[in-house]
Amino acid sequence: MIKFRGIVWSIHPLFVLVMIASIVTGYFAELITLFGIVLVHELGHVIVARGYGWTIREVKLLPFGGVAEVEDTGGLPAKEEAVVVLAGPLQNVWMGAAAWGMGQLGWWDSEWAAYVLQANIMIGLFNLLPILPLDGGKLLQVVLSRSLTYHQMLTWGARISLLLSAGMVLYAFSPLFQGGGRGIQLNLLAVGIFLFMTNWTYNRHIPFLFLRFLTSRGTASTRHIIRGVWAQPIVVSQRHTVTAALRLFKRDRYHLIVVMEERGRILGILPEQQLVNGFLEDGKPDRAVCDLFM
């Protein structure tokens, strides 16, 4: 574990196992190359994120990329997150192109250049799979946030990731049913199990992640008001609970909560800060929205 420029860099145990296996089997040069590719990939994320002013606390390196722990993740603009996410795979593009060029010019051995090229292609494409916490999973959430509420985005991102990672685990066993004497794809199985367990934990932590989103709404709301934006109304009945209304919040939107009777008469309009503060201050999720007028 190393701390550099305020960011803690660590190596995930899964990567440690890969390193040990590579050293035992004599693939030390390939190990160093893989580590360098993963490090540059993650540096792409970090540099662009820091350029946006994000605060990154820790980066964990994995055999296929990394996981960055970012402060105020719930309040970050979707457009910025998409750019930061794509900055990682883009590093694999130029590294792969450079390796190919080195091989064509004869500056590198053709087999070694082909290995580095293939490693970058595999890491870049694997990271684009729509499974959290891979880059593709984060892009999936950005896309989902365009049409779904933030809570739905968290829920469906976890469900899709669980389904696909479970499919990866099952696919690792497919050679057993294809004949030819081939065995289980152990590398794919290990990664699939890791992703499934990660998303199982992520799914259980959705209430906490949603709470982080709500606590960041104060800063986001102030930013919206200063800049001036169109408010997106959320219409609820007087029987709606505070939690039910909060789960209608969308990312990158400023909301006005319109409380109405069944006959259509408006009882009142709440700015989103009042709804969020009312929830955070008393912590009563089943409290009726109309009680905030009292």
Side-chain angles (χ1 to χ4, degrees), residues 154-258:
L154 293 175
T155 303
W156 280 103
R159 288 175 179 174
I160 293 172
S161 297
L162 280 169
L163 179 62
L164 294 180
S165 54
M168 187 180 298
V169 172
L170 294 176
Y171 186 77
F173 289 95
S174 62
L176 295 177
F177 306 99
Q178 295 174 356
R182 292 186 297 173
I184 300 171
Q185 301 180 58
L186 293 178
N187 290 339
L188 187 62
L189 177 62
V191 173
I193 292 175
F194 166 76
L195 292 175
F196 183 85
M197 296 306 299
T198 298
N199 282 288
W200 183 268
T201 303
Y202 179 89
N203 186 59
R204 295 183 62 183
H205 287 173
I206 284 177
F208 169 72
L209 296 172
F210 186 64
L211 182 61
R212 286 185 62 181
F213 165 70
L214 294 178
T215 56
S216 69
R217 290 297 288 192
T219 303
S221 298
T222 301
R223 185 172 61 245
H224 286 311
I225 293 172
I226 292 175
R227 188 173 68 242
V229 295
W230 287 96
Q232 181 172 355
I234 294 177
V235 180
V236 297
S237 72
Q238 56 187 333
R239 298 180 182 178
H240 265 74
T241 63
V242 171
T243 299
L246 290 172
R247 288 188 175 185
L248 297 174
F249 278 27
K250 295 189 68 175
R251 187 177 189 175
D252 295 340
R253 297 288 188 273
Y254 181 79
H255 296 295
L256 293 175
I257 295 81
V258 182

Side-chain angles (χ1 to χ4, degrees), residues 20-274:
I20 294 173
S22 298
I23 293 173
V24 170
T25 55
Y27 288 95
F28 187 74
E30 289 80 359
L31 168 63
I32 296 300
T33 302
L34 176 64
F35 182 83
I37 291 173
V38 169
L39 182 60
V40 173
H41 174 106
E42 207 58 31
L43 279 172
H45 293 308
V46 171
I47 291 172
V48 176
R50 294 290 286 266
Y52 279 126
W54 293 15
T55 301
I56 302 175
R57 289 188 285 189
E58 183 179 2
V59 176
K60 291 183 180 180
L61 298 179
L62 290 149
F64 45 79
V67 178
E69 184 177 346
V70 182
E71 288 186 0
D72 299 327
T73 180
L76 299 173
K79 181 184 290 187
E80 289 185 8
E81 183 170 6
V83 174
V84 171
V85 167
L86 290 173
L90 285 176
Q91 307 311 307
N92 298 116
V93 173
W94 76 258
M95 285 189 289
W100 178 83
M102 292 288 192
Q104 293 297 308
L105 293 172
W107 295 351
W108 278 4
D109 177 75
S110 59
E111 291 186 3
W112 180 251
Y115 169 77
V116 176
L117 172 61
Q118 291 174 4
N120 274 286
I121 292 174
M122 290 182 63
I123 291 176
L125 292 179
F126 185 83
N127 266 279
L128 291 176
L129 291 175
I131 305 174
L132 292 167
L134 303 179
D135 296 335
K138 296 174 183 177
L139 284 176
L140 172 65
Q141 286 193 320
V142 170
V143 174
L144 290 176
S145 68
R146 305 304 298 174
S147 57
L148 301 180
T149 67
Y150 193 84
H151 191 270
Q152 288 173 332
M153 179 203 77
L154 293 175
T155 303
W156 280 103
R159 288 175 179 174
I160 293 172
S161 297
L162 280 169
L163 179 62
L164 294 180
S165 54
M168 187 180 298
V169 172
L170 294 176
Y171 186 77
F173 289 95
S174 62
L176 295 177
F177 306 99
Q178 295 174 356
R182 292 186 297 173
I184 300 171
Q185 301 180 58
L186 293 178
N187 290 339
L188 187 62
L189 177 62
V191 173
I193 292 175
F194 166 76
L195 292 175
F196 183 85
M197 296 306 299
T198 298
N199 282 288
W200 183 268
T201 303
Y202 179 89
N203 186 59
R204 295 183 62 183
H205 287 173
I206 284 177
F208 169 72
L209 296 172
F210 186 64
L211 182 61
R212 286 185 62 181
F213 165 70
L214 294 178
T215 56
S216 69
R217 290 297 288 192
T219 303
S221 298
T222 301
R223 185 172 61 245
H224 286 311
I225 293 172
I226 292 175
R227 188 173 68 242
V229 295
W230 287 96
Q232 181 172 355
I234 294 177
V235 180
V236 297
S237 72
Q238 56 187 333
R239 298 180 182 178
H240 265 74
T241 63
V242 171
T243 299
L246 290 172
R247 288 188 175 185
L248 297 174
F249 278 27
K250 295 189 68 175
R251 187 177 189 175
D252 295 340
R253 297 288 188 273
Y254 181 79
H255 296 295
L256 293 175
I257 295 81
V258 182
V259 184
M260 302 183 68
E261 286 185 334
E262 285 77 359
R263 297 180 179 180
R265 185 171 68 90
I266 296 177
L267 296 177
I269 299 176
L270 291 171
E272 66 171 52
Q273 300 99 309
Q274 188 172 343

